Amino acid sequence: MLCCKGVSKTFPSPQGDVEALRQVDLCAEAGEFVCLIGPSGCGKTTLLRLIAGLIPPTTGQILCPTENGNSPIRTSLVFQEGGLFPWMTVLDNVAFGLEMLGVPRPLRKKQAMDFLAQVGLEAFLHHFPYQLSAGMRQRAALARSFVTGAPVLLMDEPFASLDTQMHWILEEELLRIWREHRKTVVYVTHDVDEALRLGDRLLVLTARPGRICYEYTVPQEYRRSAVGKNETWKQEVRQEIWQLIRREVERSLARS
Amino acid sequence: MATDSSRGGAQFGPKLNVSAWVPPTILLFALLAVWAGLSGLGVLDSFFFPSPQKVAGTLLQMSTSGELATALTATLGRVFLGFALGASVGVVAGLLMGESAFLRTLFDPWVSALYPLPKIALFPVLVLFLGVGEQSKVVIIALAVLFLTLINTMSGVQGISPLYFDVARNCGAGRWQVFRRVILPGSLPSIFAGLRLALGMALLMAVAVELVTARQGLGALLWVSWETMRTDKLYATLLVVSVVGWSLNAGLARLEVWAIPWREHR
Ligand SMILES: Nc1ncnc2c1ncn2[C@@H]1O[C@H](COP(=O)(O)OP(=O)(O)O)[C@@H](O)[C@H]1O
Ligand SMILES: [Mg+2]
């Protein structure tokens, strides 16, 4: 379980403070797949960085309540460009998180190879990222995020720079691994359909300062159904969310 | 995915491209032939433009007599010593200033103020304190190298995408691990760019100070050749200087390909 309570974030800057997020409440059950949608610049990336503990919130709390009090949350991040280190081989990239956890070399190598095999990259262990296609790099990034066993996965438009086919293939790949390892996922996207394909729940953020203005729980029977099947249920909710987002985008455009 | 495998493999290193070096070589020989022809016909004044045969002969004589070896050793010694000193301080200082905002605010005004100063202008001051011997020459070379490597290294560190810092810290990397696994490799391309500029600068400085004060070295040889009106020697030495410059650059380029295998080298 992951809980953000009244989280706000203001970045100080010489041109005046930037209020990125205002009073965000977001809770995710263990193993839940939550999608975050919002106009660009509304603070989605900031929210993920807050949850990852990379920056402190200005106000509010981010908690991981367990039986014995609150524990720090272990997360793993996946960015749009994957965030693989260009100077490490695929294998070293995937093993990096384990290395930082102090896992001994033979063991971390074995585990990394395991996960790379799961994403079909066993033949590319010693390649550098520049030698891979964009889709392969994102697969490696997926392997890296799952290998550390962090219970919370934070994904920032992870497939947005891929072409449509590769996008779909990687979505399926993600779901396949996710079903196997059941992590809590917070998945940022600007694509409503993508969110409806992947999520248990959708949250819509307003233009900056970002607040959650809409929440939609995907009915159990429609969750993560195969592409092209049973699309009719989506019509209404898609329409509604698009209206909301359009309003927010226009609001942010009018202001800038 | 199979199509991607062709991109793998260890195809690092510059590719030999015949069509890239054949035409320039032909042009070079054509120019030499024109030069030799014009000299032979007496069109070119043999004092200002001694024939290529004459220059080649002088070069051969200079290398057999040991004159060239002595000069080369002196110059290369200064270049390497000054370069090693300046580059090691410059790279380390650049990494530290890139990493630490505090060190940056502390030293940046000094660096920005001193960087634009042509270091050669400091040479008289250095001679005043260190004398006309080796020390002043090595130090002036080191100074010029230091600033170039420092600035390039620092901007290299600051140019590393914040994404990589996020990823490393998200994996639990501490400050030292971030330094070793992100900052150091991430700034390597910029460090090498600085080193290449600096090595060229080191040779320039060496020759320049040798013109003024040295008894030995390529610069001294150039100056003596001029003073004694030996234009054949002047040209022969110039040729050696440019070959030295080219070799240093080529050597460093190879080192770069070896040190940065993760980048696509063209
Ligand atoms: N480190 C930072 N310092 C200052 N301002 C920032 C920083 N990170 C983000 N911002 C600002 O916060 C706002 C939200 O940014 P971001 O979270 O990246 O939006 P999104 O991911 O939704 O596009 C933007 O206006 C951005 O300029
Ligand atoms: Mg973003």
Side-chain angles (χ1 to χ4, degrees):
Chain A
M1 169 112 168
L2 161 76
C3 248
C4 302
K5 285 187 183 149
V7 168
S8 303
K9 181 70 189 177
T10 302
F11 292 105
S13 109
Q15 292 87 39
D17 294 354
V18 177
E19 190 182 8
L21 293 167
R22 182 185 291 175
Q23 292 294 327
V24 172
D25 295 299
L26 180 164
C27 280
E29 297 297 325
E32 194 182 15
F33 201 127
V34 178
C35 290
L36 265 182
I37 317 175
S40 91
C42 74
K44 304 184 292 296
T45 301
T46 302
L47 184 54
L48 293 193
R49 296 181 76 223
L50 283 163
I51 297 173
L54 295 168
I55 46 173
T58 309
T59 66
Q61 281 181 306
I62 296 155
L63 304 167
C64 195
T66 56
E67 293 104 64
N68 29 8
N70 292 312
S71 60
I73 314 165
R74 271 184 58 220
T75 61
S76 54
L77 275 164
V78 182
F79 293 100
Q80 180 172 344
E81 299 300 340
L84 295 182
F85 299 119
W87 47 86
M88 290 184 203
T89 62
V90 169
L91 183 60
D92 287 344
N93 261 296
V94 175
F96 181 77
L98 297 170
E99 186 187 340
M100 293 299 117
L101 291 174
V103 178
R105 186 188 294 269
L107 187 57
R108 69 180 185 246
K109 190 173 166 190
K110 190 187 156 297
Q111 291 183 351
M113 282 166 69
D114 244 30
F115 274 86
L116 279 164
Q118 286 186 41
V119 294
L121 286 178
E122 60 272 46
F124 298 88
L125 304 178
H126 304 293
H127 284 57
F128 287 107
Y130 86 90
Q131 298 169 308
L132 305 183
S133 66
M136 291 159 81
R137 282 199 289 267
Q138 290 311 82
R139 283 169 200 272
L142 277 184
R144 174 166 75 178
S145 62
F146 276 92
V147 79
T148 57
V152 177
L153 189 56
L154 305 170
M155 309 189 80
D156 196 356
E157 308 192 31
F159 310 137
S161 61
L162 304 176
D163 61 58
T164 317
Q165 287 97 0
M166 192 46 77
H167 196 133
W168 281 348
I169 290 171
L170 273 156
E171 277 180 27
E172 283 176 6
E173 199 104 321
L174 166 65
L175 288 179
R176 185 173 56 73
I177 309 173
W178 173 76
R179 285 196 179 100
E180 204 173 311
H181 300 276
R182 278 292 157 169
K183 291 172 186 303
T184 309
V185 181
V186 182
Y187 188 103
V188 166
T189 174
H190 51 247
D191 179 349
V192 180
D193 286 291
E194 183 181 17
L196 290 170
R197 281 196 300 274
L198 294 173
D200 295 312
R201 201 146 53 92
L202 275 60
L203 299 174
V204 180
L205 283 173
T206 62
R208 215 182 72 219
R211 280 175 304 104
I212 290 170
C213 64
Y214 183 83
E215 179 174 341
Y216 175 77
T217 304
V218 180
Q220 196 81 43
E221 63 270 31
Y222 295 134
R223 287 179 193 172
R224 294 174 284 279
S225 48
V227 173
K229 258 174 56 188
N230 271 328
E231 298 285 272
T232 40
W233 65 275
K234 290 184 183 170
Q235 302 289 353
E236 211 170 306
V237 50
R238 181 199 280 133
Q239 200 61 28
E240 190 168 345
I241 295 176
W242 267 125
Q243 297 292 347
L244 256 172
I245 292 183
R246 178 186 298 140
R247 203 187 65 203
E248 290 303 323
V249 171
E250 277 164 3
R251 219 159 61 82
S252 73
L253 285 178
R255 209 177 33 182
S256 60
Chain B
M1 242 194 287
T3 54
D4 283 305
S5 63
S6 60
R7 285 209 258 155
Q11 290 178 358
F12 306 127
K15 291 166 208 85
L16 271 185
N17 188 352
V18 173
S19 60
W21 57 265
V22 164
T25 313
I26 293 175
L27 179 65
L28 176 70
F29 279 100
L31 285 172
L32 279 174
V34 171
W35 180 12
L38 292 177
S39 299
L41 292 171
V43 179
L44 290 177
D45 184 322
S46 69
F47 178 71
F48 287 105
F49 297 103
S51 73
Q53 304 93 293
K54 179 98 198 293
V55 173
T58 308
L59 192 59
L60 195 67
Q61 182 260 319
M62 282 164 72
S63 30
T64 47
S65 74
E67 192 181 9
L68 197 57
T70 316
L72 257 178
T73 317
T75 302
L76 286 180
R78 287 167 192 142
V79 167
F80 284 132
L81 198 56
F83 181 75
L85 275 173
S88 42
V89 177
V91 168
V92 170
L95 286 170
L96 293 177
M97 282 176 68
E99 202 267 346
S100 154
F102 172 72
L103 290 179
R104 214 167 31 248
T105 37
L106 191 62
F107 291 117
D108 210 27
W110 291 91
V111 175
S112 327
L114 291 175
Y115 176 63
L117 178 74
K119 302 303 167 301
I120 191 79
L122 292 175
F123 190 54
V125 183
L126 285 174
V127 171
L128 183 67
F129 284 99
L130 301 171
V132 288
E134 281 306 299
Q135 287 179 11
S136 54
K137 296 185 186 62
V138 169
V139 169
I140 195 81
I141 294 170
L143 268 181
V145 167
L146 189 154
F147 279 92
L148 278 174
T149 47
L150 192 159
I151 298 245
N152 274 278
T153 304
M154 187 169 72
S155 77
V157 175
Q158 294 185 277
I160 298 172
S161 163
L163 201 74
Y164 299 132
F165 291 92
D166 276 3
V167 170
R169 288 174 53 212
N170 181 235
C171 288
R175 198 167 173 184
W176 166 244
Q177 281 157 328
V178 169
F179 185 80
R180 207 169 66 80
R181 305 302 297 275
V182 178
I183 291 179
L184 204 54
S187 57
L188 218 48
S190 274
I191 291 178
F192 266 94
L195 290 179
R196 282 170 88 158
L197 288 174
L199 194 54
M201 177 61 92
L203 182 62
L204 187 156
M205 287 302 239
V207 171
V209 295
E210 284 168 359
L211 282 176
V212 193
T213 62
R215 267 189 299 264
Q216 265 153 11
L218 292 169
L221 206 53
L222 286 172
W223 194 250
V224 171
S225 308
W226 181 82
E227 279 188 329
T228 54
M229 301 286 172
R230 288 285 303 275
T231 47
D232 53 334
K233 240 175 148 173
L234 190 61
Y235 284 110
T237 312
L238 265 182
L239 190 67
V240 172
V241 173
S242 66
V243 169
V244 166
W246 183 87
S247 312
L248 290 177
N249 201 33
L252 202 53
R254 290 201 87 104
L255 188 65
E256 181 174 352
V257 171
W258 172 82
I260 316 182
W262 45 269
R263 204 170 52 156
E264 215 162 349
H265 293 274
R266 264 144 304 168

